[in-house]
């Protein structure tokens, strides 16, 4: 049972809903050490990785220091920050790029250890934390097994995948063991942004646009579109994908996506673009859930609700990258009635993540 907690701006009175923040990041000591090693040895060819974690894990700026230390806390300090902003529960996922930059063997073992640690934190604070499993797409069958172990034995609520894995996307059928497992377990796969892969990142890096400001959304929206156009949801019709940042821009595109997909399929323009059972927009309305991480902006939230469905858009903060009390105030002020607001902050998350 998730209990409402008053934020500073609630004046000491708990709100009529529990705020469940659904895209909240952490990092274990082991993943931190392994990630630092890759940075120091310059062990992989991935400019986006060095731009992202190379910055957050080595910069001495106030923002980086805040984030690097907060990421590794799954205890009192994190809970104090949640209390201060009235967050009842965080849905935790290993921060990008997670284990997806490592070789398969390292990734598989770090994923299991991460899930054990996360499950332990959730057991210590069952009313404050729930978790999404880390899996290593580099080893798809093992990733599916680990997801199953994490859900059935550790009580985790789904999987967190930090978008592409060394430049590869989950529409490749070699990864579909993961979707098979998620669908049969009835848990969501959260596709979280990461920086674009090496063959895409050049023009983004030239202007500092590869990260959360813009490149994340472009890369993750591309991943979403590859899943849809690649027929993943025709093969796995009950698969649920959760995405942040109000759908990475795609809700704005529904009309054009449908129009151009139909035109391309009708013209038999691409071998890789075959007819689908439903319209592109149908998959975005029926297989995806959306969170507001980093997008606490009323016009965008109301618009997204209006096109994908009010029952598909839920609250997220994006802690510790986004830890701004005013954004909670903005979300509380959305012009929704009491029932809608309870669904937005609490009810949809309880359903999607089986809380
Ligand atoms: Mn995030």
């Amino acid at each position: 049972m998730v209990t409402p907690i008053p934020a500073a701006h609630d004046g000491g009175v708990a709100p009529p809903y529990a705020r469940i923040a659904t895209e909240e990041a952490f990092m274990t000591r082991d993943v931190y050490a392994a990630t630092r090693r890759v940075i120091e040895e310059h062990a992989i060819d991935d400019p986006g990785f060095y731009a992202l974690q190379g910055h957050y894990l080595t910069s001495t700026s106030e923002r980086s220091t805040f984030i690097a230390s907060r990421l590794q806390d799954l205890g009192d300090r994190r809970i104090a920050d949640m209390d201060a902003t009235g967050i009842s529960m965080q849905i935790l996922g290993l921060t990008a790029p997670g284990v997806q930059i490592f070789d398969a063997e390292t990734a598989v073992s770090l994923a299991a250890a991460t899930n054990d640690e996360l499950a332990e934190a959730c057991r210590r604070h069952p009313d404050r934390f729930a978790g999404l499993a880390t899996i290593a797409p580099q080893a798809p069958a093992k990733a599916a097994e680990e997801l199953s172990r994490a859900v059935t034995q550790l009580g985790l609520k789904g999987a967190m995948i930090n978008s592409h894995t060394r430049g590869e996307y989950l529409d490749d059928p070699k990864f579909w063991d993961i979707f098979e497992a998620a669908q049969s377990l009835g848990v969501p796969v959260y596709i979280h942004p990461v920086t674009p892969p090496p063959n895409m990142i050049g023009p983004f890096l030239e202007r500092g646009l590869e990260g959360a400001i813009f490149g994340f959304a472009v890369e993750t929206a591309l991943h979403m579109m590859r899943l849809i156009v690649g027929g993943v949801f025709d093969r796995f019709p009950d698969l649920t994908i959760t995405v942040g940042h109000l759908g990475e821009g795609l809700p704005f595109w529904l009309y054009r996506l449908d129009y151009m997909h139909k035109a391309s399929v009708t013209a038999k323009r691409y071998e890789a673009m075959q007819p689908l059972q439903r319209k592109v927009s149908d998959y975005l309305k029926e297989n995806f859930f959306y969170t507001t991480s980093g997008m606490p902006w009323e016009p965008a939230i109301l618009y997204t609700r209006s096109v994908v469905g009010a029952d598909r858009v839920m609250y997220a903060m994006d802690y510790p990258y986004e830890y701004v009390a005013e954004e909670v105030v903005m979300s509380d002020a959305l012009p929704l009635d009491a029932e809608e607001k309870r669904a937005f902050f609490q009810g949809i998350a309880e359903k999607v993540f089986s809380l």
Side-chain angles (χ1 to χ4, degrees), residues 39 42 44-59 64 96-97 194-196 201 204-212 216 321:
I39 296 169
H42 211 83
I44 60 171
D45 171 27
D46 184 349
F49 164 72
Y50 300 106
L52 179 70
Q53 289 304 2
H55 171 73
Y56 281 119
L57 299 190
T58 64
S59 160
S64 294
V194 75
T195 44
I201 199 169
F204 290 92
L205 267 180
E206 283 169 11
R207 283 289 177 200
L209 293 171
E210 76 285 354
F216 276 6
Y321 296 97

Side-chain angles (χ1 to χ4, degrees), residues 124-139:
R124 276 197 306 273
H125 305 284
D127 49 343
R128 308 306 300 276
F129 298 149
L132 298 174
T134 296
I135 56 178
Q138 297 94 316

